[in-house]
Amino acid sequence: MEAQAVKTNLVLILDFGSQYTHLITRRIRSLSVFSLCISGTSSLKSITDLNPSVIILSGGPHSVHAPDAPSFPDGFVEYVESKGVFVLGICYGLQLLVEKLGGEVRVGEKQEYGRMEIEVLKESCGLFDCRKIGDKQMVWMSHGDEAVRLPQGFEVVARSQQGSVAAVENPGRRFYGLQYHPEVTHSPEGMATLRHFLFNVCGVSDGWTMTDVMQEEIKVINEMVGTEDHVICALSGGVDSTVAATLVHKAIGDRLHCVFVDNGLLRFKERERVMETFEKDLHLPVTCVDAVEQFLSKLKGVVDPEAKRKIIGKEFICIFDAFANDLEQKTGKKPAFLVQGTLYPDVIESCPPPGSGRTHSHTIKSHHNVGGLPKDMKLKLIEPLKLLFKDEVRELGKILNVPVPFLKRHPFPGPGLAVRVLGDVTEGNALDILRQVDEIFIQSIKDAGLYDSIWQAFAVFLPIRSVGVQGDQRTHSHVVALRAVTSQDGMTADWYNFEHKFLDDVARKICNSVRGVNRVVQDITSKPPSTIEWE
């Protein structure tokens, strides 16, 4: 679905770098309202082309009075007022509104981080659903600066228990601001505030559904792909590419040609299991290409994670180009399009926020679907899921009758085990060891009935050896790490707290069953500060 296709009821988030920005997008979508997030420093044309009904200015780590503070573009205020667009500033967004409209923001005498009680000072039907003066609620604060003088026409609606401005409004100009974060669960009444603001104040309707997404996507695909054009789909065996393929197949039928590449970086028996699912359950036309030697020979000696991702992306395209040439011989028409299961978090993580000092070449990581492909690629991309989160893709998959067990599969990175073997993936038998360890770990999770409670679980092969004792002999063997996290969308995550007995059983199975491993460790780091994958 192209964002431009949503011409009404779009809630547009301008991202100024808050770690919670994606949560605003998700919370609004959970209300069946389409929401989209773009950089806070996007051009005015980028904003006007989307024709939003509501614009939310996100939080961020910056000070609005700093010389390099990110801001919305020139002409923004005039645009929203002329079009009657509602604007809600959150945290930094509130301070940005105050500063740009003639008020004043200073470093606060007292900083406010974490839970804080606020009190309503003015009956506001705009922000607090006509709450009475004196009503209190607990919210989540995260700011060091504070608004000390409001622009003309603005009023303070609520203050914190320390006396700082917590909410402001100017209903006549349709400007509103919250100093706290209503999108996080630590603000218990935050969702009620957002719901009231969007539906009762802004007049947004809740008609956005996954069925609408499916129908809109089919329309977009048919407009993009000619009636005689053929399309290639890169199937990884994961949820994203499978749902994308099923959607495109529904749109154009047998003119879709799926290719599953065995690049030597797959999990234990992944090739056999995935191909059986494609053929028996999904009835997708799939060709399996054995490219193990092609990939591993190019990865030999490569230890840099970014370099590994780039090499893998390039080799995939070489295979797709060759596959396209073979199809041209068979069909008489060369495919012009490539389908990928790019998701919205891929896009967000590959585009650093404004004010971070990073450009698109300095990202968290180059996703296989975003930034990992060569610029001279001949095939045009079709990315039908690029504005959706993982749980939304699963919901779409249900509508498309993709088997539920398949939709529940944990995410698997495009570069495969290349980013789970730290260092050179071809050194020794690292890949074989990792496959065995990972299979034991995942099967143990399934046997314990924990698989559906975990967002993602996997093993990592570490480039170190440790001293151990096995069979009364000293060993100097490999170390593996176990990683399991809970998450809603992969943007943030917390480590899964297994019972000690489960970990003890798994560690024993691994050391007793996998030759060459004598130590098992667990990764108990959340995201942030870590990413889910190790590379």
Side-chain angles (χ1 to χ4, degrees), residues 501-516:
K501 185 180 185 307
F502 173 86
L503 292 172
D504 180 52
D505 290 344
V506 171
R508 290 175 186 275
K509 286 180 184 177
I510 291 171
C511 291
N512 290 337
S513 304
V514 183
R515 188 176 297 276

Side-chain angles (χ1 to χ4, degrees), residues 233-238 241-243 245-246 258-261 274 278 284-286 316 320 339:
C233 179
L235 279 177
S236 67
S241 63
T242 301
V243 173
T246 305
C258 299
V259 56
F260 176 76
V261 180
V274 167
F278 288 153
L284 288 173
V286 184
F316 268 127
F320 300 148
V339 178

Side-chain angles (χ1 to χ4, degrees), residues 360-511:
H360 287 268
S361 61
H362 297 85
T363 59
I364 296 172
K365 58 185 176 181
S366 292
H367 285 268
H368 58 289
N369 288 347
V370 186
L373 300 178
K375 294 180 180 179
D376 59 351
M377 185 178 71
K378 298 173 185 176
L379 298 165
K380 299 175 185 176
L381 283 179
I382 297 177
E383 299 172 300
L385 313 178
K386 68 181 179 182
L387 297 181
L388 301 181
F389 289 97
K390 175 73 79 172
D391 59 331
E392 294 169 337
V393 171
R394 288 186 167 123
E395 185 180 346
L396 179 60
K398 290 180 183 178
I399 297 173
L400 291 165
N401 295 318
V402 176
V404 172
F406 195 90
L407 292 175
K408 289 183 177 180
R409 296 191 79 196
H410 289 180
F412 186 62
L417 298 183
V419 293
R420 293 179 180 174
V421 173
L422 307 194
D424 184 354
V425 301
T426 67
E427 189 171 321
N429 59 340
L431 285 168
D432 287 337
I433 289 175
L434 180 58
R435 287 190 185 97
Q436 295 176 62
V437 172
D438 189 76
E439 178 69 7
I440 291 172
F441 184 35
I442 298 302
Q443 191 57 51
S444 297
I445 288 173
K446 290 179 178 178
D447 291 344
L450 302 174
Y451 190 81
D452 292 345
S453 301
I454 295 172
W455 169 267
Q456 193 171 0
F458 55 91
V460 180
F461 183 91
L462 304 183
I464 56 175
R465 290 176 180 264
S466 73
V467 174
V469 178
Q470 290 173 301
D472 295 327
Q473 293 183 338
R474 180 183 183 276
T475 60
H476 192 229
S477 300
H478 298 290
V479 181
V480 294
L482 306 180
R483 176 82 155 143
V485 299
T486 57
S487 179
Q488 285 191 322
D489 49 35
M491 294 293 293
T492 59
D494 200 1
W495 58 279
Y496 187 82
N497 192 6
F498 290 107
E499 292 184 0
H500 289 180
K501 185 180 185 307
F502 173 86
L503 292 172
D504 180 52
D505 290 344
V506 171
R508 290 175 186 275
K509 286 180 184 177
I510 291 171
C511 291

